[in-house]
Amino acid sequence: MAGDATLFQRSDMVEAGWNVIQPILDVWHALPARGFPNYAAGSWGPIEADDLLERDGRSWRRIGEEEVDKRGRIAVPDRTGIIT
């Protein structure tokens, strides 16, 4: 990798890329997003994420929480890791 110029962009291409991206960043900075679903770091995310999945009858799998099957029993993985 050391010294192989084919692995890196030329400076004129880097400048051309920033000429495209910088106006977008400027607009984003000038006009903050309205109604963007922010959420606290370390949380499960915005409620809108749950709503998005619920529209298709799906839900997030909460790691570390007990899973309950359709009959109301706690779903336990067998020795192969498959939940039965």
Side-chain angles (χ1 to χ4, degrees), residues 4-82:
D4 186 354
T6 63
L7 298 175
F8 301 95
Q9 292 279 333
R10 292 187 342 223
S11 63
D12 60 334
M13 293 306 296
V14 171
E15 290 296 326
W18 277 111
N19 285 335
V20 171
I21 297 300
Q22 192 59 54
I24 296 169
L25 295 175
D26 293 341
V27 169
W28 286 353
H29 183 69
L31 302 171
R34 290 168 284 192
F36 187 78
N38 284 316
Y39 57 95
S43 72
W44 283 106
I47 192 69
E48 289 84 358
D50 295 327
D51 297 340
L52 180 67
L53 290 178
E54 285 177 13
R55 282 186 247 159
D56 288 333
R58 301 177 187 277
S59 63
W60 291 105
R61 180 172 173 236
R62 305 287 187 194
I63 296 179
E65 295 180 8
E66 292 180 339
E67 292 190 30
V68 178
D69 67 11
K70 292 179 182 171
R71 291 166 287 203
R73 299 181 309 192
I74 295 174
V76 181
D78 64 13
R79 61 183 174 82
T80 64
I82 298 173

